[in-house]
């Protein structure tokens, strides 16, 4: 007995592919490209936006572009030389060298998502769950990523790029090579992070080390910050890709 495809899913994928090919693109152009009713295409666009697959491109009448979510999916499924797979041994090394939890976070068009975690061996540890959305304000991952973004990009995360506290944190990050969240999100947890840049110098990910604040004194923060900064630079380097 044959199983029929779900037409609504097929249409959603067709719209998603059309957005990818023609972005930024509006609903009118999409309806012409797909030879489909404008209201039906609009409903699909609203659904894709609500699910985080597309986002408004900005600048005039509403046009749509892909969010980072398709890139995250691709990054998780591509050959072992790509970022998430290459990051795994780096995370394991950081967790081993610091004794604390190491995490890889990816920017996702207004969200910052934990995509891999190597937990500390301590009974008391700080370990975000896979797929969890990290708060952009105050988090070490957010500060590290924002330090390599322009103000318009930062604003997409619902953050004021000119906020004095954030500005000071980004300046610290650029100066030292690593970001610090000393209990700003949760008082019991302190994190340090560093941005991983792609070949064009854009923020592709953040490496983060998390620990209970009681175990993460300033001298350990400095040591962990140097380690995560070096690891992020190595992970983003073309020379480390074989």
């Amino acid at each position: 007995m044959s199983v029929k495809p779900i037409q609504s899913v097929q249409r959603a994928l067709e719209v998603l592919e059309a957005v990818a090919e023609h972005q930024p693109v509006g609903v009118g152009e999409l309806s012409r490209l797909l030879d489909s009713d404008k209201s039906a295409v609009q409903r699909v666009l609203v659904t894709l936006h609500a699910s985080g697959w597309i986002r408004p491109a900005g600048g005039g009448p509403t046009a749509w572009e892909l969010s980072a979510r398709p890139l995250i999916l691709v990054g998780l499924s591509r050959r072992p030389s790509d970022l998430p797979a290459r990051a795994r041994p780096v995370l394991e090394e950081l967790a081993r060298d610091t004794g604390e939890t190491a995490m890889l976070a990816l920017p996702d068009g207004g969200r910052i998502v934990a995509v891999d975690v190597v937990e500390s061996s301590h009974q008391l540890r700080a370990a975000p769950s896979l797929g969890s959305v990290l708060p952009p304000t105050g988090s070490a991952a957010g500060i590290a990523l924002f330090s390599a973004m322009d103000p318009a990009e930062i604003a997409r995360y619902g953050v004021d790029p000119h906020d004095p506290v954030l500005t000071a944190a980004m300046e610290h990050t650029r100066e030292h090579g690593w970001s610090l969240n000393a209990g700003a999100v949760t008082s019991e947890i302190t994190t340090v992070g560093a941005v991983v840049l792609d070949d064009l110098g854009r923020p592709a990910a953040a490496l983060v080390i998390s620990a209970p604040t009681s175990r993460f004194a300033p001298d350990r923060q400095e040591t962990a910050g140097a380690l995560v900064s070096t690891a992020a630079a190595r992970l983003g380097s073309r020379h480390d890709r074989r």
Side-chain angles (χ1 to χ4, degrees), residues 117-136:
V117 178
V118 177
E119 294 192 22
S120 166
S121 58
H122 290 286
Q123 185 173 3
L124 178 63
R125 58 185 179 269
S129 58
L130 287 177
S132 61
V133 177
L134 308 176

Side-chain angles (χ1 to χ4, degrees), residues 54-104:
I54 62 173
R55 62 192 178 199
T62 301
W64 298 96
E65 63 183 10
L66 294 183
S67 72
R69 179 162 293 186
L71 298 178
I72 294 174
L73 186 63
V74 169
L76 292 173
S77 63
R78 284 159 65 181
R79 63 188 188 278
S81 61
D82 284 329
L83 182 58
R86 289 189 298 111
R88 182 66 185 188
V90 175
L91 295 175
E92 292 171 347
E93 179 182 348
L94 285 172
R96 182 176 64 251
D97 291 347
T98 64
E100 304 298 348
T101 296
M103 174 187 67
L104 178 71

Side-chain angles (χ1 to χ4, degrees), residues 222-240:
E222 291 277 351
T223 301
L227 287 171
V228 76
S229 178
T230 299
R234 188 172 79 245
L235 187 58
S237 171
R238 293 186 184 198
H239 302 297
D240 200 44

Side-chain angles (χ1 to χ4, degrees), residues 101-192:
T101 296
M103 174 187 67
L104 178 71
L106 297 185
D108 180 24
R111 302 187 303 176
I112 301 169
V113 183
V115 297
D116 199 4
V117 178
V118 177
E119 294 192 22
S120 166
S121 58
H122 290 286
Q123 185 173 3
L124 178 63
R125 58 185 179 269
S129 58
L130 287 177
S132 61
V133 177
L134 308 176
T137 304
S139 69
I143 295 168
L145 290 166
F146 295 159
S147 70
M149 292 182 183
D150 61 36
E153 288 180 289
I154 295 172
R156 287 184 175 181
Y157 291 77
V159 176
D160 179 3
H162 305 295
D163 176 79
V165 175
L166 176 60
T167 298
M170 291 190 297
E171 289 176 352
H172 171 279
T173 301
R174 296 181 187 118
E175 179 181 351
H176 292 84
W178 52 274
S179 60
L180 172 66
N181 160 26
V185 176
T186 303
S187 60
E188 295 84 4
I189 298 174
T190 292
T191 57
V192 297

Side-chain angles (χ1 to χ4, degrees), residues 44-54 64 69 111:
V44 174
L45 289 170
V46 170
T47 301
L48 290 172
H49 180 227
S51 301
W53 289 94
I54 62 173
W64 298 96
R69 179 162 293 186
R111 302 187 303 176

